[in-house]
Amino acid sequence: MKSLHSNMKHKLLSFLVMGMVLPILMVGAQAAETENSLTVEEIISRANTVSYYAGDDGRSDARMMIMDKDGNRQLRQFAILRKDIEDEGDQNFLVVFSRPSDVRGTVFLVNKHVDRDDDRWLYLPGLDLEKRISAGDKRTSFVGSDFFYEDVSGRNPALDNHELLEVSDTAYIVKNIPLDKSNVEFAYYIANINKETFLPMTVEYYNDKGEVYRRMDVAEVEEVQGIPTVMKSKISNLETGSVTFMEFRRPVYNIGVPEDVFTSRSLRNPPREWLEAEKE
């Protein structure tokens, strides 16, 4: 009788324990399901949106410091304007350089398209020359820095195949392989995407030998108008030893930049009223 009573007590205890544990396990399973419910395409889409489509438009001052392997430095200072084309996914960018004197007045204009190659122009004031940048040049140096033209306006996610390699507590690790390798210098790149903000925090580019030769790192993120915003980043060229540091200052979103700012007439006559930051 005592044994029977003991057995019943043991079963009751087990039942109670399972009653407490099962809900915890179910919550954990639901959280894991939610965490893993995003497809790799959705992850990449969100990362692209927060990186390049924050707000309807925006402006920021920016400063690049280019440092070669011997420690020699070059400064690039500019203002950048952006506007999204409503419901299309297309975008416009205008970058106007103010320092140093040898690049002052240089203007970079991008009309970004989802369904075809972007239109990019560069105005060189010293030569009074408007130069169209071909699609094949988008993976070349942006005004002598370690950033490429494509880094400034973003790479179209549709140009790559995406593979989710790992999901950690803090990040999605995604491998991206170009559909057309003839248009790029990399074999693939791996992005470490923050799970909370969906900002890519590191991106490593690999060559055909499987070696990292180029790396992007985000050093500082701040909330601006409730939007997680990259404030400091750097690009490292591991082959040459050069590094370019990028710092954004006074970023602001949703200021109502008109579409006619992003036309060819702004190459020679940049819209100063939209490029200057409001005085604090």
Side-chain angles (χ1 to χ4, degrees), residues 77-117:
Q77 195 162 300
F78 54 91
I80 182 167
L81 287 170
R82 173 186 59 84
K83 185 176 182 66
D84 299 347
I85 307 302
E86 190 175 358
D87 298 329
E88 294 181 16
D90 292 357
Q91 278 182 318
N92 293 318
F93 289 86
L94 188 71
V95 180
V96 180
F97 287 81
S98 56
R99 293 180 61 190
S101 58
D102 62 337
V103 299
R104 182 179 177 84
T106 298
V107 180
F108 177 50
L109 172 65
V110 182
N111 297 140
K112 181 178 175 180
H113 308 293
V114 171
D115 59 352
R116 63 184 189 277
D117 287 334

Side-chain angles (χ1 to χ4, degrees), residues 113-126:
H113 308 293
V114 171
D115 59 352
R116 63 184 189 277
D117 287 334
D118 299 344
D119 296 312
R120 293 179 172 91
W121 293 268
L122 189 67
Y123 174 65
L124 304 172

Side-chain angles (χ1 to χ4, degrees), residues 60-63 147 199-202 216-222 229-235 244-249 251:
S60 181
D61 293 325
R63 175 189 176 103
F147 284 82
L199 286 169
M201 301 304 290
T202 65
M216 184 282 294
D217 293 278
V218 169
E220 185 177 316
V221 174
E222 290 183 9
T229 302
V230 174
M231 302 298 289
K232 293 181 180 179
S233 64
K234 70 175 181 178
I235 297 279
T244 298
F245 299 90
M246 178 86 85
E247 179 180 358
F248 292 98
R249 300 174 178 180

Side-chain angles (χ1 to χ4, degrees), residues 29-49:
Q30 287 169 356
E33 184 179 350
T34 300
E35 174 184 287
N36 295 323
S37 63
L38 292 177
T39 66
V40 67
E41 287 77 17
E42 289 171 331
I43 294 167
I44 289 296
S45 177
R46 290 195 189 187
N48 185 57
T49 298

